[in-house]
């Protein structure tokens, strides 16, 4: 009986999934985000999927249309113009963060129409930001991906997502230090 129990434990252990992929590695597991700071999230063990950009490739906004470690989020439109920005503001500084992100937003489905993309906030800030008007009740699928090249081999890590209303910043343009 003991041998049968040990065999069952070993057999079960060998054939269990050892994947540590984030729950939102595929669009079917997309995590809902809301106004404010969301996260932390991770791209560690996230995988690329050749279908991730079926709604349109962000050639004009990304230095490359490739995806390496993508994770998915959703936001339900409320009729406001919004700004979505990736950052490292929601976790301690000793946590390994992803150093560069890319954002692509799709309407109604992960393979829906691509409405906006962004690679870098600026030449010195490699997080990403997008701004767009939402339609009440429309679900927006947001793809966050790591970006890599020879100078930036780290494409996995923690990150945060801030979502704010664009029209609530002082002059209608959200700047550093302003939020809703």
């Amino acid at each position: 009986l003991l041998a049968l129990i040990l065999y069952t434990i070993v057999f079960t252990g060998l054939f269990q999934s050892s994947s540590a992929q984030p729950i939102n590695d595929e669009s079917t597991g997309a995590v809902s985000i809301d106004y404010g700071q969301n996260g932390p999230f991770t791209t560690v063990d996230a995988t690329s999927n050749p279908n991730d950009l079926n709604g349109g490739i962000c050639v004009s906004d990304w230095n490359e249309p490739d995806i390496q470690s993508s994770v998915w989020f959703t936001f339900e439109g409320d009729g406001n113009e919004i700004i979505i920005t990736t950052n490292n503001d929601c976790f301690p500084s000793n946590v390994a963060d992803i150093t560069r992100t890319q954002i692509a937003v799709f309407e109604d489905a992960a393979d829906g129409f691509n409405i906006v993309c962004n690679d870098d906030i600026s030449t010195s800030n490699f997080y990403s930001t997008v701004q767009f008007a939402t339609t009440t009740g429309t679900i927006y699928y947001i793809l966050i991906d790591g970006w890599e090249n020879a100078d930036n081999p780290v494409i996995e890590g923690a990150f945060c997502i801030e979502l704010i209303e664009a029209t609530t910043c002082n002059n209608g343009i959200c700047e550093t230090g302003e939020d809703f």
Side-chain angles (χ1 to χ4, degrees):
L1 181 62
L2 182 58
L4 179 60
I5 292 171
L6 286 174
Y7 173 78
T8 303
I9 291 171
V10 170
F11 181 82
T12 303
L14 289 174
F15 289 96
Q16 285 181 340
S17 173
S18 61
S19 173
Q21 293 172 329
I23 191 169
N24 58 340
D25 185 43
E26 299 298 333
S27 61
T28 53
V31 173
S32 177
I33 59 172
D34 206 352
Y35 288 107
Q37 190 70 266
N38 296 265
F41 302 108
T42 186
T43 59
V44 173
D45 293 326
T47 60
S48 61
N49 182 328
N51 298 323
D52 280 345
L53 294 177
N54 278 355
I57 296 176
C58 305
V59 175
S60 63
D61 293 311
W62 289 5
N63 290 334
E64 56 160 323
D66 294 331
I67 50 174
Q68 289 88 15
S69 54
S70 58
V71 288
W72 288 91
F73 301 89
T74 59
F75 175 75
E76 183 174 345
D78 57 7
N80 291 313
E81 186 161 332
I82 63 169
I83 298 173
I84 301 172
T85 305
T86 57
N87 60 63
N88 63 357
D89 294 344
C90 69
F91 53 85
S93 60
N94 62 343
V95 173
D97 62 326
I98 190 167
T99 55
R100 293 188 75 151
T101 60
Q102 300 175 122
I103 297 177
V105 179
F106 303 93
E107 193 172 66
D108 291 322
D111 60 354
F113 180 69
N114 174 241
I115 59 170
V116 66
C117 298
N118 182 255
D119 181 21
D120 297 333
I121 291 174
S122 69
T123 57
S124 61
N125 184 343
F126 303 119
Y127 283 107
S128 303
T129 188
V130 292
Q131 181 171 339
F132 61 98
T134 68
T135 301
T136 302
T138 297
I139 303 297
Y140 296 92
Y141 282 77
I142 302 143
L143 171 74
I144 308 289
D145 187 61
W147 187 91
E148 73 171 316
N149 67 10
D151 297 329
N152 182 56
V154 180
I155 60 168
E156 295 181 333
F159 68 98
C160 312
I161 301 173
E162 185 176 29
L163 193 149
I164 59 176
E165 275 186 50
T167 56
T168 58
C169 295
N170 294 338
N171 60 357
I173 300 170
C174 291
E175 298 165 343
T176 303
E178 293 182 326
D179 70 31
F180 76 103

